Amino acid sequence: AGSTRPSAPFGIGGGTGLVRADAEGERPQIYLEVEALAASVLEEGPRVRALEKVITSAGKAIQAMPSRWPVRGAVNSEFGRRRSPWGEAIEHHSGLDIAAQMATPVKAPATATVVFAGSGGEYGNCVILDHGNEVKSLYGHLSKILVRQGQRLERGTVIALTGNTGRSSGPHLHYEVHVKGQAV
């Protein structure tokens, strides 16, 4: 008949005696390790907070980047040198021409503020969005503009409908991204 142990569904445990001091008779080793860890945390704390600020700022910058396509479609004409659609001359094309049927919704690819909405010469009806961090995007040849200057937009907001206005050979979206004032 000896002692019976109750069956426990969870773990049990604990120390079997006092924490022993190290060989030199000083404070127990565990206390020294805890103090060293605390000192390390105090020393690294400001650096961790600074890193957290950088990560937060970078996250906001990345979120503001126009990283989604404003419309889905094939690229009819890429950025860079190309043969002019109106002759044999070679010209620089400062954006992408994305195939889209007339009146296809154009969506803001990131949060932004509308800095221009109106007639843009060769671009026809045109919208320009400012995404912050010196990044802007331009949308040309639109049939209808659905936003106004100064309006704040969230990613995915429909800003316009594709069209064939300005210097255009057919319905599509002319899409440009500018960084520090330079088309890229």
Side-chain angles (χ1 to χ4, degrees):
S3 68
T4 58
R5 243 185 179 159
S7 64
F10 302 106
I12 57 174
T16 58
L18 295 174
V19 176
R20 294 181 9 196
D22 64 11
E24 298 165 3
E26 296 179 4
R27 297 185 73 194
Q29 185 64 32
I30 194 166
Y31 291 126
L32 296 175
E33 290 174 11
V34 168
E35 286 175 356
L37 182 59
S40 175
V41 167
L42 286 175
E43 183 179 318
E44 295 297 325
R47 284 184 243 179
V48 170
R49 284 188 291 281
L51 179 60
E52 184 179 46
K53 285 181 184 177
V54 168
I55 290 170
T56 299
S57 177
K60 288 177 184 175
I62 289 169
Q63 189 176 12
M65 296 275 299
S67 57
R68 291 188 180 172
W69 285 77
V71 295
R72 296 223 179 265
V75 176
N76 292 338
S77 184
E78 295 186 15
F79 178 91
R81 295 176 60 73
R82 70 172 185 184
R83 181 173 305 180
S84 171
W86 294 273
E88 296 297 314
I90 300 298
E91 64 183 12
H92 176 75
H93 187 235
S94 57
L96 299 175
D97 287 341
I98 304 171
Q101 295 198 3
M102 185 68 92
T104 300
V106 178
K107 296 179 180 179
T111 58
T113 300
V114 179
V115 293
F116 181 82
S119 179
E122 290 185 348
Y123 293 113
N125 292 330
C126 171
V127 170
I128 300 174
L129 304 180
D130 185 342
H131 302 283
N133 298 303
E134 298 187 77
V135 176
K136 293 181 180 172
S137 56
L138 179 147
Y139 309 83
H141 309 304
L142 306 168
S143 63
K144 186 171 186 180
I145 296 171
L146 303 173
V147 293
R148 66 188 182 293
Q149 188 169 338
Q151 185 176 346
R152 182 82 178 136
L153 308 173
E154 295 299 321
R155 174 181 283 182
T157 302
V158 176
I159 60 172
L161 303 177
T162 59
N164 186 25
T165 60
R167 188 176 184 227
S168 172
S169 63
H172 71 283
L173 175 68
H174 177 86
Y175 175 52
E176 291 183 21
V177 175
H178 292 245
V179 177
K180 295 183 180 181
Q182 186 72 32
V184 296

